[in-house]
Amino acid sequence: MADNFPELFDTRGLRFAIDDGFSWVVTNYGDTLERMLGPLLKLLGAMEAFLQWLPWYVTIAGVALLTYSASRNLRMTCSAVIMLFFIGAVGLWNDAMATVALMLAATAVAVVLGIPLGIVMARSDWLRSVALPLLNIMQTLPIFVYLIPFVMLFGPGKIPAILATVFFAIPPVIRLTDLGIRQVDGEVVEAIVAFGATPGQKLMKVQIPLALPTIMAGINQTTMMALSMVVIASMIGAGGLGYQVLQGIQRLEVSRGLVAGIAIVFLAVIFDRIAQSYGRRAQKHLDNGE
Amino acid sequence: MTASDVKIQVDKVYKIFGNRADDAMAALQAGAAKAEVLHKTGCIVGLKRIDFSIRRGETFVIMGLSGSGKSTLIRHFNRLIEPTSGRILVDGCNIMDMNAKELLAFRRTGISMVFQRFGLLPHQTVLENTICGPILQGVDQREARARGMEQLELVGLKGFENRFPRQLSGGMQQRVGLARALTTQADVLLMDEAFSALDPLIKSDMQEQLKDIQARLKKTIIFITHDLDEALHLGDRIAILKDGELRQVGTGEEILFRPADDYVERFVRKVDLSRALYTHDAFAKVPVLTQAQATGDRTTALLRQHPAVIVVHGAKLRVLTSAEPDRANCAASIDATATLGQSFPLLADQEAIVVMDSGAPVGILTREMAFKALSRSHGAANKLSPASLLPSPVA
Ligand SMILES: Nc1ncnc2c1ncn2[C@@H]1O[C@H](COP(=O)(O)OP(=O)(O)OP(=O)(O)O)[C@@H](O)[C@H]1O
Ligand SMILES: [Mg+2]
């Protein structure tokens, strides 16, 4: 069937060029890149092994403590404990820990890269005007698009999974770091500069502390996005809860998919609450100086 | 004014906000007005050819309506804002030529600032805020805290050092800002509407304190205010800005009684003259005699030429007037540097009071003299031209 719209340009040439260029990168630099990312893989492996080695009751106690210290809310803490207990009880503990490890590693990388990028962006209006549309595109691209280039580069496995997750999850932390720093009261910044603060002191003593609640909101969003991406990434061999969902679909076992799905939701709820409570505490600290 | 008297010299400073500063400068040089420049180039003229100097140890007040460029101008002195063209010399050294290190040192030790909206760090305590200067200077914590406490006590905030700025009222926060500025011991103090947020009582308290600090430490103070009475009270000289242009620089008296143009005249019209005029503007010099010299013949002779004679009798001062040559009234006294308003309560009780100059009687001030001085000045300040009665054109 002929296309309705006449083909005005021949895109084949361009497409081939892109594909060839990419293959060239893969053949020439694939190994180097993989070697460079070795430490990341090691970190992830160690985290996964640690979380799976840790006795479940210790993990639950740890999460309970974290939730309580952030929220000072007993009900929230109890529900976090019950949810984790459910995940263990239905036999998904190890999968859940694999997912958490991947998510934490990806979030950590996203935060470590994203906050400095946000800081740089807050310094230049020009950079912001270039970066914002780019971040918008990154956030609206279908999740699967991220998987393809990374799988091509590294083959299926944990490295492409974590990289795709980082790419997908990094925009909020960059955006909100930039926003948070720009929102800091100009006169407070001026004051510290007027008393002779260096640019570094200005950043560490005023801009970051005052932008912290907003940055925390960014980290929260990044965490959530990382979690959702980690599930998708199981398709390329990341394992974890997402893999259970995938198997459920493949084998038409609705129950398996459903239970794993619920476990994912529970993890999301727990992390969201912890991150939000921390954000609120940071805000409160600023407001009342407690 | 000799060169060594000048602390800060502002040399043909222009400030243009916007991307096309060059075009805007060219337009300004060609004589375009602020609105025209904005229309043509999209740039805002912040300051236009500002040229004046500030003397060492003087309190220099900058006045002008909202948006006239006061904050923009004061921020040039510590380079929070950099001029589009022109030079700013502090102690003869152009601050625009300072490199990053010199600028840091200058800001840490040479100049300090009180901000219009306080600019306190919300996550630090009052004391931590106060010692921000010394800490940046590298003074050790203990010494810095001691200095901070001293300044906090001076501004009446002892006991609040461990509170956070949010827990303080606006006026208290402003006093923290003042304490912070004083703690650096810099000899130039920039104050951007530092007292505007204070209630009248604390405000006049702080004004006295500032005068006191000025008398003791001889700082060079640049003070922005909207309040003409405050400007006249504190300022050795006053500058009036309009739309980024300097309209007049002069002493309070010059601004009040010899306004450079209609704008300045309208600006000063509402002033409270009793606070703007001083006793020495109104009093009359009269002979001063000791008790022994004050024989009947002599006083009668003197009273023919003078409105009164002062007779010093130990610590008591008596005034003989030509109206009542036989009765020597015990008189209250007032210093020649006091405002005329300060003499009103005394004049309410008696017809004439003695005016003292550095502790010695020099003349008298009568009700009539006070009223005459006020009405004479009132006439000068209110010599309205028809044009100045019209509402000012909106710029
Ligand atoms: N960063 C900036 N960018 C563009 N325009 C500015 C900037 N800062 C100040 N202006 C403009 O410069 C002019 C003077 O502003 P400035 O803040 O100095 O006024 P001000 O005299 O301090 O007023 P107020 O009494 O309200 O504090 C205003 O027209 C303002 O719009
Ligand atoms: Mg201002």
Side-chain angles (χ1 to χ4, degrees):
Chain A
M1 196 175 76
D3 265 340
N4 209 349
F5 196 88
E7 191 170 348
L8 295 178
F9 308 103
D10 184 10
T11 55
R12 255 175 311 173
L14 185 67
R15 288 206 320 262
F16 286 154
I18 292 176
D19 293 347
D20 287 347
F22 201 77
S23 313
W24 180 79
V25 172
V26 171
T27 43
N28 288 291
Y29 294 100
D31 289 343
T32 326
L33 276 174
E34 204 157 341
R35 232 175 300 124
M36 265 168 53
L37 291 166
L40 191 60
L41 195 63
K42 271 206 195 107
L43 172 83
L44 178 61
M47 243 158 107
E48 198 176 316
F50 175 73
L51 284 178
Q52 287 176 348
W53 165 83
L54 211 63
W56 61 270
Y57 43 87
V58 177
T59 309
I60 292 185
V63 170
L65 211 70
L66 205 63
T67 316
Y68 187 73
S69 77
S71 65
R72 299 287 147 90
N73 183 333
L74 221 53
R75 246 187 63 198
M76 214 182 258
T77 312
C78 284
S79 61
V81 168
I82 291 170
M83 284 189 254
L84 277 181
F85 202 80
F86 170 86
I87 292 172
V90 296
L92 289 174
W93 188 260
N94 274 354
D95 286 318
M97 288 307 117
T99 296
V100 169
L102 190 55
M103 184 203 80
L104 286 182
T107 306
V109 174
V111 167
V112 166
L113 294 179
I115 290 181
L117 284 175
I119 291 170
V120 173
M121 202 167 129
R123 289 195 162 194
S124 149
D125 288 335
W126 176 83
L127 199 64
R128 180 187 163 93
S129 65
V130 175
L132 270 188
L134 217 70
L135 291 177
N136 283 339
I137 293 172
M138 278 172 77
Q139 269 184 304
T140 44
L141 274 183
I143 298 181
F144 292 98
V145 174
Y146 289 91
L147 296 179
I148 302 163
F150 289 111
V151 172
M152 282 179 73
L153 265 176
F154 303 103
K158 291 203 159 136
I159 288 264
I162 199 171
L163 287 184
T165 308
V166 168
F167 256 76
F168 179 68
I170 207 170
V173 72
I174 298 180
R175 280 176 108 102
L176 287 167
T177 301
D178 167 66
L179 183 72
I181 289 181
R182 281 172 188 269
Q183 275 176 345
V184 173
D185 182 354
E187 226 176 55
V188 178
V189 178
E190 268 188 325
I192 192 100
V193 172
F195 283 95
T198 61
Q201 287 168 326
K202 172 174 89 173
L203 188 68
M204 299 313 292
K205 282 185 157 209
V206 180
Q207 291 179 313
I208 300 258
L210 295 193
L212 206 57
T214 314
I215 296 177
M216 291 293 268
I219 294 178
N220 186 9
Q221 282 184 29
T222 289
T223 314
M224 291 301 108
M225 289 181 74
L227 188 58
S228 66
M229 185 67 188
V230 160
V231 173
I232 307 286
S234 61
M235 288 184 170
I236 55 170
L241 289 175
Y243 186 64
Q244 297 292 331
V245 177
L246 195 66
Q247 278 200 328
I249 296 170
Q250 279 169 348
R251 298 185 194 166
L252 289 179
E253 286 180 81
V254 178
S255 58
R256 188 198 275 257
L258 195 66
V259 172
I262 291 174
I264 291 168
V265 171
F266 280 1
L267 283 184
V269 169
I270 294 171
F271 278 105
D272 186 46
R273 285 189 177 169
I274 294 178
Q276 270 195 28
S277 305
Y278 268 114
R280 232 174 279 137
R281 286 181 77 76
Q283 182 69 55
K284 221 160 120 196
H285 179 76
L286 276 187
D287 284 354
N288 320 329
E290 272 166 3
Chain B
M1 196 181 337
T2 63
S4 68
D5 284 342
V6 177
K7 178 74 189 177
I8 299 175
Q9 190 188 345
V10 182
D11 183 21
K12 296 187 207 66
V13 163
Y14 287 80
K15 176 66 194 178
I16 313 282
F17 293 107
N19 296 327
R20 293 173 55 198
D22 290 344
D23 297 347
M25 279 295 284
L28 269 185
Q29 306 281 16
K34 183 173 172 163
E36 213 174 318
V37 173
L38 180 62
H39 180 72
K40 268 197 204 151
T41 65
C43 291
I44 295 175
V45 179
L47 295 174
K48 182 175 166 189
R49 208 191 150 92
I50 303 286
D51 223 359
F52 67 93
S53 347
I54 296 170
R55 293 179 198 133
R56 196 176 304 282
E58 105 175 304
T59 304
F60 190 90
V61 176
I62 302 172
M63 295 198 70
L65 299 179
S66 205
S68 56
K70 305 182 295 295
S71 298
T72 306
L73 178 57
I74 208 170
R75 276 167 172 67
H76 278 79
F77 297 129
N78 55 2
R79 251 179 83 177
L80 284 178
I81 296 180
E82 307 202 335
T84 307
S85 93
R87 301 185 308 158
I88 292 142
L89 301 140
V90 178
D91 289 324
C93 154
N94 184 2
I95 62 169
M96 291 312 297
D97 292 340
M98 288 180 175
N99 61 29
K101 219 168 124 196
E102 289 164 340
L103 182 61
L104 277 188
F106 172 60
R107 283 173 175 164
R108 282 178 187 170
T109 56
I111 195 160
S112 67
M113 183 158 177
V114 183
F115 287 82
Q116 191 167 0
R117 289 178 296 114
F118 324 137
L120 301 176
L121 303 184
H123 58 297
Q124 292 194 345
T125 63
V126 165
L127 183 59
E128 284 165 348
N129 265 293
T130 309
I131 62 176
C132 128
I135 293 295
L136 289 171
Q137 283 168 19
V139 174
D140 74 55
Q141 277 279 341
R142 261 212 7 244
E143 154 90 28
R145 279 172 180 271
R147 267 205 237 165
M149 284 307 295
E150 196 183 314
Q151 295 302 334
L152 282 176
E153 206 172 329
L154 203 73
V155 297
L157 283 177
K158 197 176 182 204
F160 290 91
E161 60 270 14
N162 293 321
R163 302 288 183 88
F164 286 85
R166 292 264 172 138
Q167 301 169 313
L168 268 53
S169 71
M172 289 159 98
Q173 291 187 39
Q174 192 56 287
R175 285 185 277 157
V176 177
L178 183 62
R180 174 174 68 177
L182 291 174
T183 313
T184 70
Q185 300 174 343
D187 57 342
V188 180
L189 188 55
L190 308 176
M191 304 181 74
D192 190 348
E193 295 193 35
F195 298 161
S196 301
L198 306 181
D199 66 62
L201 274 182
I202 296 181
K203 186 169 173 168
S204 69
D205 243 29
M206 297 300 293
Q207 288 171 353
E208 292 324 305
Q209 230 170 70
L210 191 69
K211 286 198 113 164
D212 190 48
I213 288 166
Q214 173 71 330
R216 271 188 301 125
L217 306 175
K218 301 267 180 291
K219 289 185 190 283
T220 304
I221 300 177
I222 300 161
F223 193 97
I224 292 181
T225 178
H226 276 137
D227 177 351
L228 188 54
D229 290 333
E230 183 171 66
L232 291 166
H233 183 52
L234 292 176
D236 295 316
R237 285 189 307 149
I238 299 170
I240 308 246
L241 273 179
K242 177 172 191 272
D243 292 341
E245 278 180 83
L246 205 55
R247 286 305 183 92
Q248 186 171 5
V249 181
T251 61
E253 202 188 321
E254 283 166 358
I255 297 269
L256 278 183
F257 306 126
R258 289 190 290 285
D261 56 24
D262 280 355
Y263 179 76
V264 176
E265 190 181 302
R266 271 204 310 272
F267 199 91
V268 300
R269 192 180 299 155
K270 287 224 176 69
V271 70
D272 175 359
L273 285 169
S274 72
R275 296 181 58 181
L277 286 172
Y278 294 90
T279 308
H280 59 68
D281 296 324
F283 85 111
K285 265 204 154 93
V286 299
V288 181
L289 303 176
T290 60
Q291 180 75 9
Q293 294 167 329
T295 56
D297 295 349
R298 191 153 178 203
T299 51
T300 329
L302 282 171
L303 280 174
R304 264 188 227 118
Q305 292 155 31
H306 300 279
V309 173
I310 299 169
V311 180
V312 185
H313 180 48
K316 285 207 187 98
L317 298 167
R318 291 168 194 278
V319 176
L320 292 170
T321 60
S322 32
E324 292 174 301
D326 308 327
R327 266 191 56 208
N329 293 311
C330 245
S333 65
I334 190 164
D335 199 81
T337 57
T339 61
L340 212 48
Q342 284 172 307
S343 71
F344 290 173
L346 304 174
L347 286 174
D349 289 340
Q350 48 200 157
E351 181 62 37
I353 55 176
V354 176
V355 175
M356 315 284 280
D357 185 14
S358 28
V362 288
I364 60 158
L365 178 72
T366 62
R367 283 178 201 159
E368 194 188 339
M369 291 174 194
F371 279 130
K372 273 197 175 138
L374 280 177
S375 53
R376 191 169 61 228
S377 310
H378 199 67
N382 273 336
K383 133 183 92 53
L384 302 179
S385 63
S388 69
L389 283 171
L390 298 173
S392 65
V394 179

